Amino acid sequence: MKFGSMIKDVLSSLFKRPATEKYPAERRPAPPRLRGKLVWNPEKCTGCQLCVKDCPANAIELITIDKVAKRFVMKYHIGRCTFCDQCVVNCRFKCLDLSSEEWELAALSAEPLTVYYGRDEDIRFLLEKAALPGAEETPCEPS
Ligand code: SF4
Ligand code: SF4
């Protein structure tokens, strides 16, 4: 680029509004079709594991505590999710959705990027089992 044309661009930029937005001080509403954090409705889930098998990023684990009582815990790895929507489309019971409201997912450590969904007592049960010596990453076998 020639110096003359560069100066022209610099001078014209002085009188233009900035193209950037003052995020996060100013926020625009997210588009309704934005694909943010995966959300799960355990009430309708049958534990079929289709979402787990279909996820190309290995971002979901569905841990069965009691299949008859429909006690499942979903472990969602946000850092692995590519927000492809495949699990949402393929769930026959419409249990999954990608939220257009929860999309600010950056974190300074890995810990907030792993999310457990399910009943509080089931998540507690799972985490207590996982904390036992010799426990594997996924402490419950599907029943
Ligand atoms: S595909 Fe749907 S019903 Fe099957 S385990 Fe996943 S969330 Fe549950
Ligand atoms: S949106 Fe795609 S990558 Fe994310 S959990 Fe669903 S299938 Fe996996």
Side-chain angles (χ1 to χ4, degrees):
M1 185 183 264
K2 286 188 182 158
F3 183 72
S5 62
M6 212 162 71
I7 278 289
K8 205 171 122 196
D9 284 346
V10 170
L11 289 176
S12 69
S13 300
L14 290 176
F15 301 100
K16 280 186 194 159
R17 290 190 59 207
T20 49
E21 294 179 10
K22 291 180 183 167
Y23 175 86
E26 290 172 19
R27 291 158 189 262
R28 287 197 208 181
R33 290 181 63 202
L34 183 135
R35 294 178 187 173
K37 187 178 176 183
L38 185 72
V39 287
W40 176 59
N41 180 350
E43 300 304 319
K44 295 195 275 178
C45 181
T46 62
C48 71
Q49 300 274 346
L50 195 63
C51 52
V52 177
K53 288 181 197 138
D54 278 355
C55 175
N58 203 17
I60 327 171
E61 293 171 49
L62 192 84
I63 300 139
T64 305
I65 294 175
D66 183 340
K67 192 161 188 174
V68 178
K70 292 195 167 189
R71 288 177 64 198
F72 308 111
V73 171
M74 181 171 277
K75 188 174 178 184
Y76 172 45
H77 302 272
I78 300 174
R80 295 183 200 162
C81 181
T82 60
F83 309 98
C84 68
D85 208 33
Q86 192 153 307
C87 56
V88 177
V89 171
N90 289 346
C91 175
R92 284 170 291 174
F93 301 94
K94 306 281 173 227
C95 309
L96 295 164
D97 198 11
L98 290 174
S99 167
S100 62
E101 286 164 13
E102 290 183 76
W103 53 270
E104 291 168 302
L105 305 174
L108 294 173
S109 63
E111 201 245 328
L113 297 175
T114 302
V115 178
Y116 290 89
Y117 294 127
R119 294 191 197 117
D120 289 346
E121 64 267 28
D122 291 344
I123 295 170
R124 218 170 18 248
F125 168 79
L126 201 66
L127 294 176
E128 279 166 11
K129 274 199 107 178
L132 292 175
E136 306 228 334
E137 172 93 358
T138 302
C140 290
E141 289 300 318
S143 52

